[in-house]
Amino acid sequence: MTDPTAIQPSELDQLPDRDPEETAEWQASLDAVTQAAGPHRAAYLMRRTLERGEAGGLALPKLLETDYVNTIPTAAEPVVDGDEEMERRITAWNRWNAAAMVTRGSKHGVGGHIATFASAAWLYETGFNHFFKGKEGDGSGDQLYIQGHASPGIYARAFLDGRLNEHHLDHFRQESGGNGLPSYPHPRRLPWLWEFPTVSMGLGPLSAIYQARFNRYLTSRGIKDVSQSHVWAFLGDGEMDEPESTAALGLASREGLDNLTFVINCNLQRLDGPVRANFKIVQELEAQFRGAGWNVIKSLWGSAWDELFQLDTTGALVRRLREVPDAQVQTYQTRDAAYIRQDFFGADPALVEMAKLLSDDKILECFHLSRGGHESRKVYAAYKAAVEHKGAPTVILAQTVKGFTLGEGFASKNANHQMKKLTVDEFKQMRDLLELPISDSQFVDGAVPYGHPGADAPEVRYLQERRAALGGPAPARRTHALAPLPAPADKTFASFDKGSGSQNVATTMAFVRLVKDLVRDKVTGRRWVPIVPDEARTFGMESLFPSLGIYSPKGQTYEPVDRDQLMYYKEAKDGQILNEGITEAGSMADFIAASTAYSTHGEAMIPFYIFYSMFGWQRTADQMWQLGDQLGRGFLVGATAGRTTLTGEGLQHADGHSPVIAATNPAALSYDPAFAYEIATIVKDGLRRMYGESAPGEDPNVFYYLTVYNEPMPQPAKPAGLGIDEGIVKGLYRFNTAESAGLTPAANAARIQLLGSGTAIHWVLKAQQLLAEEWAVAADVWSATSWTELRRDALEADAALLRGEERVPFVRQALHGAEGPVLAVSDYMRQVPDQIAQWIEQDYSSLGADGFGLSDTREAARRHFGVDAESIVVAALAQLARRGEVKASAVKEARERYAL
């Protein structure tokens, strides 16, 4: 057995010791201190020695955890630059109105959350009074990611400063009338106030990191100097369990994002109970962030604890604080002084003696009330240290009590997240605690009154003066009056109209070629933001490396291995490409920051994010909703799309459903283009709608999702005729007829309309030829560029009919008079083309690739799913046979001929 007291081998054993005798002396000194003064004194001396060495510039590994005490000692706290008593009164009004708003709303059954803001009030108020820069000063101001469940407190502050009135507060969570307040931060619902939707937990911290990074990107590229902007993310300790919350900590540290601060409200509770019942979440988070290279500031205890720490000459108090699990700390919050004396102080003789010096009131003050996150002076010190720290991002771990000031019925109770109201008596107790001038007579018929000292009250003037000095109201979202971006030259798009001739070109390559031309535009080219998760070469984007460069704050500190090649790997401080590595979530966070720069910074940027289509919506659909909520604009490009075009990779790469998921997002305009000229037409229209002159009634706050394919195919010329561009944008146009395709069906031949999207159009065109040459059937071929947009237009037409307006859906207009039944084909599951089924006047059927994917050749996969040309022919004959337009025997004959 191994002796646990023996010194274990370490990496130091691999290094030569030039003076073993000196080393032994140091070790002996440590042993002597341990024996004479105890292990705790020895540990203290070791830590102070490490601290001194680090301060002297020695390269030493950092400790991942420190004691369970404040990082900034009381004696080192700076003087608060303001009127602390005035700020206390302001915070009291905001606490009251936040609770009143939710309680009044509970009468309508809409609920709300009270306890979160009650715990975090000082974390917000200190920032609003002293640190958060508004948008009316120089630059872009700060970006604030507000914890979703704390929104009532933000509304309460906006009420106090005059931006909201009682009518607004009384319509919290009652938005249908048009004057309500959304439950959480939602820019689409309250676009003048909220910038960032955060309540889908985990996405806020991830987005905050990439927003801070994108700020650096804008500055480095000379688009706009936003170096004075600071990103603040307010988070819950329970939220940090979400994988996205900590997924990009290394990026923030690696790129030295000292323009970023996380403020984690450590009230030790999540939605249904303790975050770490048997452990300590603060210590865990400290180790995690320190290990990732962040600057960590702990603000755990209020000033009432100063006396206790001064009495702790043996270190027993600090040791006890480290060993007590979080759930027990929560219990202390609800128990009397006798219990705390016995359970906490009784665990160590030194603490027993200390407790004899403390009154019951002192013990209760410390364990019930005094937390670092509840004192403006403690929070101010932490924030000041954070914004002054250089070279790394900062996380502030602020300990609070969930439900603080709401009374004994709320504070630290496991159920307080679900508790939506206070009684009148509880409000009166809260009033007395906060010292608010609200009389009993104001509680009319049991209704809780809102409180406001008056528009000219000292509190309101102080609040407004502080905000004016910091650059205006916050949070606030600005819609800048930006001039439309000039459209790129028509020749850029028209060059795709002539097709590829005899050359086979994948639509993925066609899109990349289009972007290469667009980024050369002298006016708008620099505003493109290419985003790719590591596989740029897969998508043929390596040619952009040397011309645009890959963004890196360090530039290129090495000589690339392919430096002598034409398309070498080039990183640059002003690089344009964001090559994120293997992180779809990080790439989406990049996209969101870039796509909303028009509002955040008043700079229109044009992001395109290209990815394996299977790993877009399936993995990051929640972020696509965040993008829609945040009113983002740009192009998402699902490359290597479809269920049968990347079959060698197998099931996990076979995307048969991304358009289904995309169709659920109202902000996503989903297209499945078949040809290069369709891509050019769609991108041209997207640039016009999102960045140029949008049409009346057209929402520019949308994003485009295009699926492109990796299968090289002939790219035909754009058909001549009126309405082609309109059909491409709206979702459907006739590509050819049997006659225009050079086929010569008999005058009385049966006819069918074949609709295909994306790569399926090529199988449809082959089926058109087989039907004419082998079965004497005339088929017209239609390109369905967007099943989803066709459906949305039809839904709008249905809604118009209910209003008494006559309107025919575009899909019905397009197919009006088309002879024969309709057969729709897609490389996605049949649910995609079936979106339009109910608006088709003709007999309708569809083919698609339902089920799981598989590894095989493209041809074998298409035969497996029944979507190849021969399968289309059989399906078309069966549809015509049901109508009596071809013989039933033809179906059986075709199945046998094609070995289906």
Side-chain angles (χ1 to χ4, degrees):
M1 295 180 61
T2 302
D3 180 0
T5 65
I7 297 177
Q8 300 300 310
S10 74
E11 72 279 2
L12 295 178
D13 293 328
Q14 302 178 57
L15 306 176
D17 188 345
R18 67 179 187 182
D19 193 340
E21 185 176 345
E22 180 184 35
T23 302
E25 290 176 356
W26 277 86
Q27 292 172 335
S29 297
L30 178 62
D31 292 341
V33 171
T34 303
Q35 294 170 5
H40 302 297
R41 177 62 180 169
Y44 176 83
L45 291 174
M46 285 296 297
R47 288 178 54 191
R48 294 311 295 260
T49 302
L50 287 172
E51 183 182 87
R52 183 61 171 265
E54 184 177 345
L58 297 181
L60 296 170
K62 295 181 181 294
L63 294 174
L64 293 184
E65 286 186 37
T66 60
D67 285 327
Y68 203 69
V69 297
N70 295 346
T71 303
I72 302 172
T74 299
E77 292 170 2
V79 176
V80 176
D81 179 23
D83 186 333
E84 293 184 69
E85 173 56 25
M86 185 69 73
E87 292 175 19
R88 185 198 65 78
R89 297 206 302 269
I90 290 171
T91 305
W93 285 116
N94 292 338
R95 286 181 181 279
W96 176 273
N97 288 319
M101 174 176 58
V102 175
T103 297
R104 288 166 69 111
S106 68
K107 293 183 178 180
H108 303 285
V110 295
H113 298 285
I114 304 177
T116 295
F117 178 72
S119 68
W122 277 115
L123 303 180
Y124 291 105
E125 293 298 326
T126 303
F128 285 129
N129 288 326
H130 299 282
F131 294 94
F132 304 158
K133 294 186 287 291
K135 296 181 176 297
E136 296 173 2
D138 296 334
S140 300
D142 288 352
Q143 288 81 58
L144 308 180
Y145 288 77
I146 305 294
Q147 192 177 2
H149 293 144
S151 61
I154 309 304
Y155 291 138
R157 191 170 222 273
F159 170 65
L160 195 64
D161 73 11
R163 292 195 290 166
L164 294 175
N165 56 39
E166 289 191 13
H167 178 77
H168 291 123
L169 299 192
D170 269 343
H171 285 79
F172 174 60
R173 292 192 171 192
Q174 299 172 68
E175 299 179 74
S176 58
N179 293 315
L181 301 178
S183 52
Y184 304 122
H186 284 301
R188 189 170 286 275
R189 289 300 180 209
L190 202 62
W192 61 267
L193 180 73
W194 297 120
E195 277 195 285
F196 307 108
T198 53
V199 83
S200 188
M201 286 189 273
L203 298 190
L206 179 68
S207 291
I209 290 173
Y210 281 89
Q211 181 65 59
R213 195 283 199 89
F214 191 74
N215 290 356
R216 291 281 175 85
Y217 171 90
L218 285 179
T219 301
S220 297
R221 289 196 53 220
I223 302 292
K224 182 178 181 179
D225 184 358
V226 294
S227 56
Q228 298 307 305
S229 290
H230 200 88
V231 178
W232 301 81
F234 289 85
L235 316 168
D237 47 1
E239 181 179 3
M240 301 312 293
D241 283 346
E242 291 283 4
E244 296 88 351
S245 293
T246 55
L249 298 186
L251 169 75
S253 172
R254 187 167 61 248
E255 301 206 357
L257 297 181
D258 50 25
N259 61 339
L260 170 68
T261 297
F262 276 16
V263 181
I264 303 182
N265 178 16
C266 298
N267 58 34
L268 313 185
Q269 287 183 249
R270 51 189 179 203
L271 307 188
D272 290 319
V275 178
R276 293 289 184 273
N278 295 298
F279 304 93
K280 301 191 79 63
I281 184 61
V282 168
Q283 300 301 91
E284 179 181 322
L285 291 174
E286 178 184 27
Q288 192 169 14
F289 278 86
R290 282 188 186 277
W294 285 53
N295 175 44
V296 179
I297 299 173
K298 293 196 291 193
S299 183
L300 307 181
W301 306 111
S303 55
W305 283 82
D306 290 348
E307 179 183 343
L308 275 67
F309 288 125
Q310 288 298 314
L311 295 173
D312 186 28
T313 57
T314 66
L317 176 62
V318 171
R319 292 195 299 274
R320 182 68 176 138
L321 288 174
R322 286 198 68 174
E323 69 188 23
V324 174
D326 284 352
Q328 191 63 18
V329 174
Q330 183 182 352
T331 298
Y332 294 149
Q333 177 69 33
T334 65
R335 303 301 290 271
D336 59 20
Y339 178 87
I340 298 171
R341 285 183 186 277
Q342 178 180 352
D343 190 86
F344 182 85
F345 291 97
D348 187 294
L351 293 180
V352 172
E353 293 303 312
M354 179 189 294
K356 293 177 181 178
L357 304 175
L358 304 174
S359 68
D360 285 356
D361 287 345
K362 182 65 177 181
I363 289 175
L364 293 179
E365 180 186 13
C366 290
F367 284 84
H368 284 194
L369 303 174
S370 188
R371 299 290 187 274
H374 294 324
E375 293 188 15
S376 62
R377 187 175 294 264
K378 303 291 185 185
V379 177
Y380 181 91
Y383 285 8
K384 192 171 189 296
V387 297
E388 292 177 354
H389 185 81
K390 301 303 178 185
T394 293
V395 59
I396 296 170
L397 303 175
Q399 186 164 254
T400 66
V401 175
K402 194 167 186 178
F404 187 68
T405 74
L406 297 181
E408 294 181 359
F410 262 85
S412 284
K413 296 297 174 64
N414 281 339
N416 60 20
H417 191 79
Q418 283 72 38
M419 296 162 71
K420 311 299 183 186
K421 61 183 179 180
L422 278 70
T423 66
V424 169
D425 287 341
E426 287 172 328
F427 266 107
K428 290 179 180 179
Q429 293 171 10
M430 182 181 178
R431 172 201 62 191
D432 296 341
L433 175 65
L434 298 176
E435 300 177 347
L436 291 172
I438 298 173
S439 65
D440 288 354
S441 63
Q442 291 178 259
F443 290 82
V444 180
D445 297 327
V448 181
Y450 292 119
H452 199 292
D456 294 325
E459 295 93 330
V460 176
R461 290 199 305 271
Y462 180 90
L463 182 155
Q464 293 173 342
E465 289 168 1
R466 298 300 300 184
R467 288 311 316 158
L470 286 165
R477 182 180 180 273
R478 291 289 181 265
T479 302
H480 300 267
L482 300 179
L485 293 182
D490 281 341
K491 66 179 182 180
T492 303
F493 305 99
S495 64
F496 292 84
D497 291 352
K498 62 177 182 282
S500 63
S502 59
Q503 183 182 7
N504 289 341
V505 177
T507 53
T508 298
M509 297 300 105
F511 176 82
V512 172
R513 180 189 145 193
L514 173 63
V515 170
K516 285 172 61 178
D517 293 340
L518 290 172
V519 296
R520 293 192 185 104
D521 186 270
K522 293 182 179 179
V523 179
T524 61
R526 65 196 294 263
R527 296 191 175 274
W528 282 85
V529 183
I531 304 167
V532 60
D534 195 45
E535 296 207 66
R537 296 182 191 277
T538 300
F539 306 133
M541 292 175 59
E542 64 268 29
S543 61
L544 299 178
F545 288 170
S547 58
L548 301 184
I550 298 166
Y551 171 73
S552 169
K554 289 185 176 295
Q556 194 156 38
T557 61
Y558 59 92
E559 184 176 353
V561 67
D562 52 2
R563 182 65 180 85
D564 56 345
Q565 298 180 17
L566 181 63
M567 292 182 285
Y568 66 95
Y569 195 85
K570 176 186 175 183
E571 297 188 76
K573 292 181 179 180
D574 61 349
Q576 192 164 349
I577 300 169
L578 293 174
N579 192 4
E580 284 306 343
I582 305 175
T583 168
E584 286 83 5
S587 299
M588 266 306 302
D590 264 336
F591 187 90
I592 291 169
S595 71
T596 54
Y598 74 92
S599 172
T600 309
H601 296 299
E603 295 288 344
M605 305 300 288
I606 312 171
F608 81 87
Y609 164 34
I610 188 167
F611 50 88
Y612 268 72
S613 65
M614 185 67 168
F615 306 133
W617 287 87
Q618 176 169 294
R619 285 195 178 181
T620 57
D622 195 13
Q623 288 178 286
M624 273 75 161
W625 274 101
Q626 180 188 10
L627 170 64
D629 280 346
Q630 203 165 316
L631 301 118
R633 306 170 183 174
F635 297 95
L636 296 175
V637 183
T640 59
R643 181 144 280 167
T644 69
T645 62
L646 195 67
T647 53
E649 299 283 359
L651 183 153
Q652 290 187 346
H653 285 64
D655 176 18
H657 54 283
S658 65
V660 177
I661 309 174
T664 66
N665 190 313
L669 277 60
S670 179
Y671 288 90
D672 187 23
F675 304 124
Y677 67 80
E678 293 178 354
I679 293 173
T681 301
I682 293 165
V683 170
K684 180 180 180 181
D685 187 71
L687 290 172
R688 175 200 62 80
R689 176 169 178 172
M690 294 185 291
Y691 301 97
E693 298 283 358
S694 56
E698 208 174 35
D699 184 5
N701 298 316
V702 295
F703 59 94
Y704 283 63
Y705 174 56
L706 282 71
T707 49
V708 293
Y709 297 84
N710 69 320
E711 184 175 10
M713 299 295 287
Q715 296 298 324
K718 188 176 185 177
L722 298 175
I724 298 296
D725 284 1
E726 179 189 26
I728 291 172
V729 172
K730 289 191 172 181
L732 184 68
Y733 69 97
R734 184 159 54 191
F735 176 72
N736 69 17
T737 63
E739 291 77 11
S740 67
L743 305 172
T744 54
N748 61 348
R751 187 173 288 270
I752 190 169
Q753 308 298 316
L754 300 179
L755 279 58
S757 67
T759 194
I761 200 78
H762 299 286
W763 327 325
V764 169
L765 288 168
K766 182 179 178 182
Q768 178 192 41
Q769 182 178 2
L770 291 175
L771 283 167
E773 294 176 352
E774 300 186 12
W775 305 98
V777 171
D780 300 336
V781 173
W782 299 70
S783 180
T785 54
S786 180
W787 310 100
T788 301
E789 288 306 296
L790 292 173
R791 175 179 175 81
R792 288 176 177 169
D793 172 79
L795 289 172
E796 290 175 6
D798 287 355
L801 286 174
L802 292 176
R803 297 191 300 267
E805 304 169 17
E806 287 293 330
R807 182 178 159 194
V808 179
F810 178 80
V811 66
R812 187 170 292 174
Q813 295 177 45
L815 289 169
H816 180 69
E819 184 182 347
V822 170
L823 174 60
V825 187
S826 167
D827 199 24
Y828 294 94
M829 55 200 309
R830 288 177 60 183
Q831 188 174 340
V832 176
D834 284 352
Q835 291 180 86
I836 66 171
Q838 72 185 81
W839 293 280
I840 304 299
E841 293 179 336
Q842 297 89 342
D843 291 341
Y844 180 88
S845 65
S846 65
L847 295 175
D850 285 73
F852 288 108
L854 76 168
S855 297
D856 212 312
T857 64
R858 291 177 178 130
E859 293 75 15
R862 287 161 189 165
R863 176 57 59 91
H864 169 81
F865 287 112
V867 293
D868 61 346
E870 292 79 7
S871 298
I872 295 170
V873 169
V874 173
L877 293 174
Q879 201 170 358
L880 291 167
R882 287 194 295 272
R883 295 163 54 92
E885 297 179 17
V886 300
K887 295 180 180 179
S889 60
V891 181
K892 181 175 183 295
E893 182 183 347
R895 280 201 302 267
E896 293 173 351
R897 179 181 302 182
Y898 302 134
L900 294 181

